[in-house]
Amino acid sequence: MASEQPNETPTNPAIPAPSAEAGPCDEAAAPSKKGAKKAEAKAKKEAEKARKAAEREAAAAATAAVAAEDHAKDNYGEITKDKKIEAETMHLRDLGEEYIGKSIKLRAWIQNSRMQGAKMAFVELREEGSWTVQGVVAASPEGKPVSRQMVKWIGGLNLESFVAVEATVQKPLEPVKSCKVSGYELHLTKVYLVAPAPEMLGLGLAAASRAVGKLDDEEVGEGLEAKLEGVSITETTPAASLATHLNNPAMHKRAPVSQAIADIRIAVEDLFCEYLKERRFKKFHPPSLIAAASEGGANVFRLPYFEKECFLAQSPQFYKQFEIAGGRKRVYCVGPVFRAENSNTPRHMTEFIGLDLEMEIEEHYHEVMHMLEGVLLHIFKGLATNCREEIDLVRTVYPSEEFLLPEGGKEIRLTFAEGQALLRAEGPSEYANVRDDEDMSTAQEKALGALIRKKYNTDFYVLDKFPTDARPFYAMPDPENPEVTNAYDFFMRGQEILSGGQRLHLSHELEKTIRSKGLDPNQPGLKEYCEVLKSVGCPPHGGGGIGLDRVVAWYLNLPSVQLVADYPRTPKRLSP
Amino acid sequence: MASEQPNETPTNPAIPAPSAEAGPCDEAAAPSKKGAKKAEAKAKKEAEKARKAAEREAAAAATAAVAAEDHAKDNYGEITKDKKIEAETMHLRDLGEEYIGKSIKLRAWIQNSRMQGAKMAFVELREEGSWTVQGVVAASPEGKPVSRQMVKWIGGLNLESFVAVEATVQKPLEPVKSCKVSGYELHLTKVYLVAPAPEMLGLGLAAASRAVGKLDDEEVGEGLEAKLEGVSITETTPAASLATHLNNPAMHKRAPVSQAIADIRIAVEDLFCEYLKERRFKKFHPPSLIAAASEGGANVFRLPYFEKECFLAQSPQFYKQFEIAGGRKRVYCVGPVFRAENSNTPRHMTEFIGLDLEMEIEEHYHEVMHMLEGVLLHIFKGLATNCREEIDLVRTVYPSEEFLLPEGGKEIRLTFAEGQALLRAEGPSEYANVRDDEDMSTAQEKALGALIRKKYNTDFYVLDKFPTDARPFYAMPDPENPEVTNAYDFFMRGQEILSGGQRLHLSHELEKTIRSKGLDPNQPGLKEYCEVLKSVGCPPHGGGGIGLDRVVAWYLNLPSVQLVADYPRTPKRLSP
């Protein structure tokens, strides 16, 4: 029999209905004190224990009395060894016509519940991200699996508790619009509580499923307010701040939008690796612990290491080059890099995942640029096809325009000087005098991104030939013009996501450039680096490093990279 | 025309013939001093510069004079913009009959060279790991591409220099046994030096390709001497110590044996990910920077973090559990973990790559054990089929017996108590009194491994139900016997490669266990951990962590994990 009262609020299944919420959960009692206090506390505890035991006994007796009259008493309650469900386990994604009338087992979270009088309850069950289904439980006379007591107990379970249920699959009278699985409902015959949620959640699923309300960064990023304006926040569920989201990781992650972002992030990494593996790139793992601050010493974390000192790698740069010197023609790596930069912006983190590659150059460094463009286009196209559903779900929460790719698959490349010229000619008046030999600011980059979008109809482009002063000592100078380098940045929606270029592969030239930058090739870190390149004949090579979280954030036009990283780390956040 | 003098030393192509070797390369001159000394140094430098310039001019003039008589002068020398090879680039792995008589381009290292009189030279060229081919260069009269001067110049190139060559593919009179490509040889018509190697290598390829001679660890590991005894070290090329290998990473990595080990390592990681992805596991990236020493505080690296203090994660344990609490049913991660343990043994590193997984448990924690056994068997079987060539190559350098798997695909599982009983009954006499409630030593583990191999004919097995005192606070006690836990270790050739088990998922039970271990659930690190699990209903779950380098090392029976890691980190080694 189909239920007569399907949950009828016609909402977006991606955003659960509002639910009760409160501040962070209460903390456990303070630990016991020393000495005399300890003894006292112990005595008190014993007394309390005895009192509680008595209470429990009384309660148990009362429950037993009630249970005696409860014909369904074995079909619900906290799970124990004896409470078993024999039916086959089913996953909501697999639910189809062949299950109608059959008894199945499901393990899921209680997303919502609603009593309908004293004899009936509707329970929204969620499994694996955003898969939800309506559960119905209705009390019947003796001999049937459900009692009034059972309905009441189920209706009283805290939201986000985890349960194991036995149910019969039925067709509802009307599609259940509030659930992703709208064509079936589950008539519950057993419900066992596997793990209870607290009465008050630090962050409810409804708020977790909405756009963050406040970023709490020093620099919130241009256009964030505009970005968040279009977002649908119901009146009953106020938006939670980014901090509240991140302080409640389990609930933040349970939101379908978070799961979709996490799935897109995995897809980006997989697409990156897939493309490179097909082109004979070999993976390796650079170390995080290194003996010297490799790239000048600024913004690097340092720590005691037995009798010595050590540093956290800011990039795998040197090690990628060692791999090339070591005879691997093409390498890539995926792993954390660390920046001790006190930047509180929506695009900075102190630890983030870098997608890096390095390869031999045969004739020209544009071979590398072409490879990097290729892998990024592969990622963008892969996302648009493989992650359509996830992207659409994210857009219901964080609206964004489709990410524009250059037409006909051809790349948009400008030299740095051409970019500056465009800014001077067509950009805001404050950029009328930008110079070709000075690096761009973030604001300049964004302004240029807008100009390029207008002119070339793309959100993805490359700036090549960066000025020498804007690049590190290992950048290869342009042989035609020593003022610029064979180095480039890649941009998405006017924001940098990749830095790379050709490297100096001849150690005498490298040492010369190190000196010209006012550094000493014999200083710790640089010395070992130069020695490796000097120790063998190292072929010409180049590469680039991609910030994984930035690619995802700017592709989806999210307000912060902290919504992408699994556990973002910033100057202010180390936990959880 | 095929050459008349193929290189005829009948050696293993995996091990290059001995070559000249020396200590580490010379260092560059010391940096200039301050003040007066600086000026003085500058003046000296200028004078030196002028002298060198004059020298260069004279040398150039002399070269020009010689070049004037050299009909092949454009066909060799340092590469410049004008020195181009128009022929199509070829890779040695693709070399086949269709190339005979054709002109090709190849970029490769000079692995060996030998003058044959003044008019001919044989050059062994290496590309992509272990692909080698014989190059022949013979002087001909004017009008032909090779001159005597060119032959002499080529014969004088330093080994391990990187060159671009143009050559005609020919069939040799006899197969070239010393090269992997034995059925073809290259008649060189142009040779350009792209990147010179130094005259003296810190580690020659011949030594790099042999087993390490000395591990330099406090504890070298039982059986190492025996392991290294069978290794073929020719009289002319003494074995280099592990330290020499690691101090010369580019040459160490160029050895075919190192490339094979690196390829096997990649395969292990790929097989791990492939198996889990197929079973709906989701990848994530746990943080390395954490706010508190999570697992008790011993052996953890700590560092200043802006105004605060921070720690490097010893494992992704807490974060894997947060993912489960966050609604991901099955997760895995691959990334570095850190141990500040002053252990100088062949199985310890301070940074290593962990392969971790965590999953919901439906009925019993053996579901997790079964998954872990499954993924490891998938790895072992995958290696045996996909990496046959690499494994065989490694065995020519580090001989080992085939890794034995349980017959018929059935797993070998003993309880910890059964393992101890076997040790008491059949092990060495010093283990006659080992106890069921105390953890095993490494020596005990190895002795047990030998007994199990004899009894069950397997190098891979599981010890289950570890005593409570040997496991961390988050381990789930066995509901039948609180003296032991639902936790296990996995072994390869008697050495632990995986630790795992079921975790406490109910926060009140977790807090109770934390207290019973003498810890305070409100201490930093533990508090945040308990709070996340308390903040929602978290389903039962379990998992395990695999040491990537150990799996490879023990599978191949290598003398140290430092031969597996790309850039091993130990208490004594942070560089390069």
Side-chain angles (χ1 to χ4, degrees):
Chain A
M1 181 203 75
S3 74
E4 283 147 49
Q5 297 274 353
N7 187 330
E8 56 202 4
T9 339
T11 54
N12 183 336
I15 304 184
S19 65
E21 270 179 56
C25 348
D26 295 347
E27 283 161 29
S32 63
K33 302 284 165 18
K34 286 177 191 167
K37 281 203 176 167
K38 220 170 175 177
E40 193 189 326
K42 202 180 166 192
K44 220 169 160 179
K45 232 180 184 171
E46 297 290 339
E48 177 68 1
K49 219 165 145 185
R51 196 183 57 77
K52 276 197 179 156
E55 261 186 23
R56 264 201 304 276
E57 252 174 67
T63 310
V66 175
E69 303 158 27
D70 182 358
H71 66 270
K73 67 182 193 303
D74 294 334
N75 296 341
Y76 66 98
E78 278 188 33
I79 200 157
T80 60
K81 238 185 7 183
D82 308 323
K83 289 183 172 157
K84 281 211 168 141
I85 296 170
E86 302 295 345
E88 205 187 319
T89 296
M90 194 218 44
H91 297 291
L92 291 182
R93 65 181 134 84
D94 299 327
L95 195 46
E97 296 293 312
E98 69 277 19
Y99 279 100
I100 289 180
K102 292 211 174 125
S103 182
I104 57 102
K105 175 180 175 180
L106 179 73
R107 295 156 56 81
W109 281 279
I110 296 185
Q111 173 157 315
N112 250 316
S113 70
R114 182 162 59 89
M115 291 291 289
Q116 184 82 13
K119 291 169 66 177
M120 198 172 186
F122 294 96
V123 187
E124 223 169 278
L125 295 167
R126 189 184 70 249
E127 194 216 8
E128 281 194 300
S130 60
W131 287 94
T132 48
V133 71
Q134 174 161 269
V136 187
V137 60
S140 325
E142 200 152 344
K144 297 278 183 168
V146 180
S147 63
R148 273 169 174 257
Q149 295 94 323
M150 178 168 167
V151 171
K152 192 181 164 199
W153 182 83
I154 293 171
L157 286 174
N158 295 335
L159 298 189
E160 298 303 321
S161 294
F162 191 73
V163 292
V165 307
E166 182 194 75
T168 312
V169 179
Q170 301 279 12
K171 270 225 171 280
L173 284 182
E174 295 174 33
V176 186
K177 288 183 193 154
S178 62
C179 290
K180 186 162 174 174
V181 174
S182 57
Y184 307 95
E185 62 182 16
L186 301 182
H187 288 235
L188 309 176
T189 48
K190 288 182 182 173
V191 176
Y192 298 135
L193 178 63
V194 178
E199 212 165 311
M200 297 297 220
L201 295 167
L203 172 71
L205 192 70
S209 302
R210 284 176 165 66
V212 294
K214 191 165 161 273
L215 285 189
D216 200 28
D217 284 319
E218 280 163 18
E219 180 204 332
V220 283
E222 269 171 61
L224 170 67
E225 295 73 17
K227 239 183 253 176
L228 290 178
E229 237 168 49
V231 165
S232 63
I233 295 171
T234 69
E235 278 170 38
T236 46
T237 308
S241 69
L242 178 60
T244 303
H245 276 256
L246 299 180
N247 288 339
N248 290 279
M251 284 310 301
H252 170 59
K253 282 167 186 290
R254 285 186 184 192
V257 62
S258 305
Q259 304 240 347
I261 293 171
D263 287 343
I264 293 168
R265 187 177 192 253
I266 296 169
V268 170
E269 180 179 338
D270 281 351
L271 288 161
F272 176 82
C273 298
E274 173 188 88
Y275 188 86
L276 297 179
K277 255 190 252 176
E278 276 170 13
R279 281 152 189 83
R280 307 185 73 85
F281 278 76
K282 305 264 196 176
K283 194 174 193 180
F284 82 107
H285 291 280
S288 298
L289 302 174
I290 55 174
S294 46
E295 299 185 26
N299 300 332
V300 59
F301 289 111
R302 58 180 70 205
L303 61 149
Y305 188 85
F306 303 99
E307 320 297 51
K308 299 183 289 271
E309 191 180 25
C310 118
F311 301 82
L312 295 184
Q314 291 167 291
S315 88
Q317 184 56 37
F318 290 5
Y319 294 89
K320 289 195 299 177
Q321 297 191 249
F322 295 171
E323 290 293 309
I324 299 292
R328 303 294 250 187
K329 293 179 101 64
R330 299 173 157 195
V331 293
Y332 70 102
C333 52
V334 175
V337 287
F338 305 89
R339 306 274 164 95
E341 199 178 340
N342 201 350
S343 295
N344 297 281
T345 83
R347 61 184 184 283
H348 285 96
M349 292 188 289
T350 52
E351 174 179 0
F352 61 90
I353 297 299
L355 306 175
D356 272 86
L357 69 80
E358 198 79 17
M359 60 187 267
E360 268 186 25
I361 292 169
E362 293 205 6
E363 300 295 341
H364 195 278
Y365 78 100
H366 280 187
E367 294 161 20
V368 187
M369 222 161 95
H370 184 69
M371 184 68 72
L372 288 164
E373 286 164 335
V375 72
L376 280 160
L377 287 172
H378 180 72
I379 289 170
F380 300 144
K381 286 172 192 162
L383 288 183
T385 50
N386 308 347
C387 296
R388 198 66 259 169
E389 205 178 315
E390 289 81 1
I391 293 168
D392 291 343
L393 194 157
V394 173
R395 286 198 177 135
T396 63
V397 180
Y398 295 101
S400 66
E401 288 181 52
E402 193 68 26
F403 187 80
L404 290 181
L405 291 179
E407 268 162 53
K410 77 173 188 1
E411 302 94 352
I412 300 300
R413 299 172 177 176
L414 281 78
T415 63
F416 183 86
E418 286 165 351
Q420 295 289 56
L422 188 58
L423 261 185
R424 282 193 296 265
E426 301 177 30
S429 58
E430 68 258 43
Y431 302 139
N433 298 306
V434 291
R435 292 163 53 104
D436 292 358
D437 59 352
E438 274 174 14
D439 206 356
M440 289 188 194
S441 68
T442 305
Q444 250 172 289
E445 287 175 351
K446 285 187 183 169
L448 181 59
L451 291 175
I452 290 177
R453 189 177 216 262
K454 220 169 66 185
K455 202 168 173 127
Y456 300 98
N457 206 33
T458 179
D459 285 316
F460 173 57
Y461 52 89
V462 177
L463 284 192
D464 193 14
K465 300 277 179 212
F466 266 65
T468 306
D469 287 347
R471 302 309 268 205
F473 56 79
Y474 49 74
M476 175 70 83
D478 179 352
E480 313 286 325
N481 173 9
E483 301 294 306
V484 300
T485 53
N486 286 355
Y488 38 75
D489 276 5
F490 283 33
F491 294 84
M492 288 174 66
R493 303 195 200 256
Q495 303 203 68
E496 185 252 311
I497 51 135
L498 178 153
S499 240
Q502 183 175 1
R503 334 295 186 180
L504 286 159
H505 61 284
L506 298 173
S507 58
H508 61 276
E509 289 183 3
L510 176 65
E511 288 177 2
K512 203 176 74 184
T513 314
I514 289 175
R515 286 200 179 88
S516 78
K517 295 259 180 192
L519 296 166
D520 179 357
N522 286 304
Q523 76 187 51
L526 294 187
K527 188 178 160 203
E528 292 74 15
Y529 171 57
C530 294
E531 269 175 6
V532 173
L533 294 181
K534 202 190 290 183
S535 74
V536 289
C538 177
H541 60 280
I546 301 172
L548 170 58
D549 302 296
R550 288 187 177 185
V551 170
V552 178
W554 310 154
Y555 184 83
L556 297 169
N557 212 9
L558 297 177
S560 170
V561 290
Q562 294 187 56
L563 288 167
V564 180
D566 289 311
Y567 297 90
R569 292 298 183 249
T570 66
K572 293 171 181 169
R573 174 170 297 279
L574 259 176
S575 174
Chain B
M1 177 204 79
S3 74
E4 284 149 48
Q5 294 276 353
N7 187 331
E8 56 202 2
T9 338
T11 53
N12 183 334
I15 303 184
S19 65
E21 269 177 60
C25 348
D26 294 348
E27 282 160 31
S32 63
K33 300 284 166 14
K34 283 179 195 169
K37 280 203 174 167
K38 219 171 177 177
E40 191 189 327
K42 201 181 166 191
K44 220 169 160 181
K45 233 181 185 171
E46 296 291 339
E48 176 68 1
K49 220 165 145 183
R51 197 183 58 75
K52 276 197 178 156
E55 262 186 23
R56 265 201 304 275
E57 254 174 66
T63 310
V66 174
E69 303 159 27
D70 182 357
H71 67 272
K73 67 181 190 304
D74 294 333
N75 296 342
Y76 66 98
E78 278 189 33
I79 200 157
T80 60
K81 238 184 10 182
D82 308 323
K83 289 182 172 157
K84 281 211 166 140
I85 296 170
E86 302 295 344
E88 205 188 322
T89 296
M90 193 218 45
H91 296 291
L92 292 180
R93 65 182 134 83
D94 300 325
L95 197 46
E97 296 293 312
E98 69 277 19
Y99 280 99
I100 288 179
K102 290 212 175 124
S103 182
I104 56 102
K105 176 180 176 181
L106 179 73
R107 295 158 56 80
W109 282 278
I110 297 185
Q111 173 157 316
N112 250 315
S113 71
R114 183 163 57 89
M115 292 290 291
Q116 184 83 12
K119 290 170 65 177
M120 197 171 188
F122 294 95
V123 187
E124 222 169 280
L125 296 168
R126 188 184 70 250
E127 195 216 8
E128 284 193 300
S130 60
W131 286 95
T132 48
V133 70
Q134 174 161 270
V136 187
V137 60
S140 323
E142 201 152 343
K144 296 279 183 167
V146 180
S147 64
R148 271 170 175 256
Q149 293 95 322
M150 179 168 166
V151 171
K152 191 181 166 199
W153 182 83
I154 292 170
L157 286 174
N158 294 335
L159 299 189
E160 296 304 320
S161 295
F162 191 73
V163 291
V165 308
E166 182 194 75
T168 312
V169 179
Q170 302 278 11
K171 270 228 169 279
L173 284 183
E174 296 175 31
V176 186
K177 287 184 195 152
S178 62
C179 290
K180 186 160 174 177
V181 174
S182 58
Y184 307 94
E185 62 183 14
L186 301 182
H187 288 236
L188 309 177
T189 48
K190 288 182 182 175
V191 177
Y192 298 135
L193 178 62
V194 178
E199 212 165 311
M200 296 298 221
L201 295 168
L203 173 71
L205 192 73
S209 303
R210 283 178 167 64
V212 294
K214 192 166 160 273
L215 285 191
D216 199 29
D217 285 317
E218 279 162 19
E219 180 205 331
V220 284
E222 268 173 62
L224 170 68
E225 295 73 17
K227 241 183 251 178
L228 291 178
E229 236 169 49
V231 167
S232 63
I233 295 172
T234 68
E235 278 171 38
T236 45
T237 307
S241 70
L242 178 59
T244 302
H245 277 254
L246 299 180
N247 288 338
N248 291 277
M251 285 309 301
H252 170 60
K253 281 167 187 290
R254 286 187 183 191
V257 61
S258 304
Q259 303 240 347
I261 292 172
D263 288 342
I264 293 168
R265 187 177 192 253
I266 296 170
V268 170
E269 180 180 337
D270 281 350
L271 289 160
F272 176 80
C273 297
E274 171 187 271
Y275 188 85
L276 296 178
K277 256 191 253 178
E278 275 170 15
R279 280 152 191 83
R280 307 185 74 86
F281 277 76
K282 306 263 195 175
K283 193 174 192 180
F284 82 108
H285 292 280
S288 298
L289 302 174
I290 54 174
S294 47
E295 298 184 28
N299 300 332
V300 59
F301 289 111
R302 57 180 70 205
L303 62 148
Y305 188 84
F306 304 98
E307 319 299 46
K308 299 182 288 270
E309 191 180 26
C310 118
F311 302 82
L312 295 183
Q314 291 168 293
S315 88
Q317 184 57 37
F318 289 5
Y319 294 89
K320 290 195 298 176
Q321 296 191 251
F322 294 172
E323 290 292 310
I324 299 292
R328 304 292 249 186
K329 293 179 101 65
R330 298 174 158 195
V331 293
Y332 71 102
C333 53
V334 175
V337 288
F338 305 90
R339 307 275 165 93
E341 198 178 343
N342 201 351
S343 293
N344 297 282
T345 83
R347 63 185 182 284
H348 284 95
M349 292 189 288
T350 52
E351 174 181 359
F352 61 90
I353 298 297
L355 306 175
D356 271 87
L357 70 82
E358 198 78 18
M359 61 186 267
E360 268 185 24
I361 293 169
E362 293 204 6
E363 301 293 341
H364 196 278
Y365 78 101
H366 279 188
E367 294 160 20
V368 188
M369 221 160 97
H370 184 68
M371 183 68 70
L372 288 164
E373 286 164 336
V375 71
L376 281 160
L377 287 172
H378 179 72
I379 289 170
F380 301 144
K381 286 171 192 162
L383 289 183
T385 50
N386 308 346
C387 296
R388 197 66 257 167
E389 205 178 313
E390 289 81 2
I391 294 168
D392 290 344
L393 194 157
V394 173
R395 286 198 178 136
T396 63
V397 180
Y398 295 101
S400 66
E401 286 181 52
E402 193 66 26
F403 186 79
L404 290 181
L405 291 180
E407 268 162 54
K410 77 171 184 8
E411 302 95 352
I412 299 300
R413 300 171 177 177
L414 281 78
T415 63
F416 184 88
E418 285 165 353
Q420 295 287 57
L422 189 58
L423 261 183
R424 283 192 297 265
E426 301 177 30
S429 57
E430 68 258 44
Y431 301 139
N433 298 307
V434 291
R435 293 164 53 106
D436 293 356
D437 58 353
E438 276 174 13
D439 207 357
M440 289 189 194
S441 68
T442 305
Q444 251 172 287
E445 287 174 351
K446 286 188 183 167
L448 180 59
L451 291 175
I452 289 177
R453 189 176 216 263
K454 219 169 66 185
K455 199 166 177 132
Y456 299 98
N457 206 34
T458 179
D459 285 315
F460 173 58
Y461 52 89
V462 177
L463 284 191
D464 192 14
K465 299 276 177 213
F466 267 65
T468 305
D469 287 346
R471 300 310 264 206
F473 56 79
Y474 49 73
M476 176 69 83
D478 179 351
E480 314 286 325
N481 173 10
E483 300 293 306
V484 300
T485 54
N486 286 355
Y488 38 76
D489 277 5
F490 283 35
F491 294 84
M492 288 174 65
R493 302 194 200 256
Q495 303 203 67
E496 185 252 310
I497 51 134
L498 178 153
S499 239
Q502 181 175 3
R503 333 297 185 178
L504 285 159
H505 62 284
L506 298 173
S507 58
H508 61 275
E509 288 183 4
L510 176 65
E511 289 178 1
K512 204 176 75 183
T513 315
I514 289 175
R515 288 201 178 87
S516 79
K517 294 259 180 191
L519 296 165
D520 179 357
N522 286 304
Q523 77 186 49
L526 294 188
K527 189 178 159 205
E528 292 76 15
Y529 171 57
C530 293
E531 269 174 7
V532 173
L533 294 181
K534 201 191 291 183
S535 73
V536 289
C538 178
H541 59 280
I546 301 172
L548 170 58
D549 302 297
R550 287 187 178 183
V551 170
V552 178
W554 310 154
Y555 184 83
L556 296 168
N557 213 9
L558 298 177
S560 171
V561 289
Q562 293 186 57
L563 287 168
V564 180
D566 289 312
Y567 297 90
R569 293 298 182 249
T570 65
K572 292 171 182 169
R573 175 171 296 278
L574 259 176
S575 173

